[in-house]
Amino acid sequence: MRKKMVAGNWKMNMTPRETVELIRTLKPMVSDTDVDVVFCVPAIDIVPAVEALKDSDIGIGAENMFYEEKGAYTGEVSPNMLADAGVSYVIVGHSERRQYFNETDEIVNKKVRKAIEHELTPIICCGETLEQREQGVTLDLIKKQIVGAFMHVSPENAVKCIIAYEPIWAIGTGRVASSAQAQEVCQGIRTTIRNIYGSVIAEQIRILYGGSVNAGNAKELFTEEDIDGGLVGGASLKPEFAKIVNYKKL
């Protein structure tokens, strides 16, 4: 039985001071649940977030990392820096990274492998635009992204990864894929993993849904067979996040 996970992607929001204040608000509401909870925060907020969550079962994730450990890469953050700071997870291949910073499937794959090397759990994002959905190429595109992300990743390392399906047309728009649409793609992702690694590993890897997840739709989405929780954007910056984590009570 795969344990549910709810991860907040804060994006480029929250100063270090605001981070501590938000964590103090959310911490008592999302601790000691039967759901794995992760806050993926901006790089500058990682250290205060880790300090604010010590002696807590809440995990800290980074929103991005580079695929080299050191060197002349001004402005980048390395996986060993993240690990040393207390990070356990890292978002890889988010659609905003692909769109604004031209990250390719090859770059995503490099980041996945380097994260694993440093014992960071990659949250690997995939998703399609509205135009691609309307063209009927969603499942083919998602398959390409997943196959590319897991290139040269061994079965024993693949099982450590988390996948997040985020339809680009639903991110921050208020539009949400229906539970049936989300389940169809997440099932397709699991089928792709099964074709690469076999059924045992496919049944262990957690697949999250992201894209305007909120307290009103979380329960319906998370109870689908192949959806193991959510990667939450805007709602992760509000007390509403606690309701998403505690979706079973909604």
Side-chain angles (χ1 to χ4, degrees), residues 126 164-168 170-171 177 208-213 221 229-233:
C126 60
Y165 166 55
E166 291 198 307
I168 297 169
I171 298 175
L208 312 180
Y209 170 78
S212 297
V213 176
L221 287 164
L231 182 59
V232 183

Side-chain angles (χ1 to χ4, degrees), residues 1-61:
M1 187 70 177
R2 297 181 300 270
K3 188 176 183 181
K4 299 291 186 181
M5 167 179 280
V6 178
N9 177 15
W10 290 14
K11 306 193 179 186
M12 197 177 71
N13 294 292
M14 295 291 159
T15 66
R17 182 182 303 159
E18 291 169 338
T19 291
V20 173
E21 292 173 356
L22 180 59
I23 286 175
R24 284 175 178 166
T25 298
L26 291 176
K27 182 178 176 180
M29 297 189 285
V30 300
S31 296
D32 301 317
T33 69
D34 60 354
V35 174
D36 283 337
V37 179
V38 180
F39 295 144
C40 296
V41 305
I44 197 171
D45 297 333
I46 287 172
V47 172
V50 169
E51 178 65 21
L53 288 170
K54 64 182 180 181
D55 303 320
S56 165
D57 59 351
I58 301 169
I60 287 293

Side-chain angles (χ1 to χ4, degrees), residues 18-140:
E18 291 169 338
T19 291
V20 173
E21 292 173 356
L22 180 59
I23 286 175
R24 284 175 178 166
T25 298
L26 291 176
K27 182 178 176 180
M29 297 189 285
V30 300
S31 296
D32 301 317
T33 69
D34 60 354
V35 174
D36 283 337
V37 179
V38 180
F39 295 144
C40 296
V41 305
I44 197 171
D45 297 333
I46 287 172
V47 172
V50 169
E51 178 65 21
L53 288 170
K54 64 182 180 181
D55 303 320
S56 165
D57 59 351
I58 301 169
I60 287 293
E63 297 178 11
N64 182 42
M65 57 159 240
F66 196 54
Y67 51 77
E68 298 289 353
E69 297 173 0
K70 60 182 178 180
Y73 306 106
T74 300
E76 294 291 341
V77 177
S78 69
N80 41 310
M81 291 175 183
L82 297 179
D84 190 60
V87 167
S88 301
Y89 301 85
V90 59
I91 297 174
V92 176
H94 192 279
S95 62
E96 291 158 3
R97 298 295 311 177
R98 295 176 187 260
Q99 178 181 357
Y100 301 129
F101 302 99
N102 302 314
E103 291 194 3
T104 63
D105 290 342
E106 181 182 9
I107 290 173
V108 172
N109 176 246
K110 287 182 178 181
K111 292 185 176 186
V112 168
R113 288 186 284 144
K114 188 58 70 169
I116 292 169
E117 183 180 324
H118 287 270
E119 299 184 348
L120 299 172
T121 298
I123 300 175
I124 305 166
C125 297
C126 60
E128 83 282 15
T129 64
L130 181 59
E131 181 181 9
Q132 289 164 335
R133 171 163 283 274
E134 291 176 342
Q135 290 173 347
V137 299
T138 294
L139 293 178
D140 290 337

Side-chain angles (χ1 to χ4, degrees), residues 155-170:
E156 57 268 26
N157 285 329
V159 77
K160 303 173 186 176
C161 299
I162 295 167
I163 299 170
Y165 166 55
E166 291 198 307
I168 297 169
W169 49 271

Side-chain angles (χ1 to χ4, degrees), residues 205-244:
I205 291 180
R206 290 187 284 189
I207 303 173
L208 312 180
Y209 170 78
S212 297
V213 176
N214 57 53
N217 57 41
K219 187 172 184 177
E220 181 179 355
L221 287 164
F222 297 173
T223 51
E224 290 288 348
E225 182 178 356
D226 290 294
I227 300 177
D228 304 310
L231 182 59
V232 183
S236 68
L237 301 170
K238 308 171 186 176
E240 179 184 8
F241 184 71
K243 295 182 180 180
I244 298 172

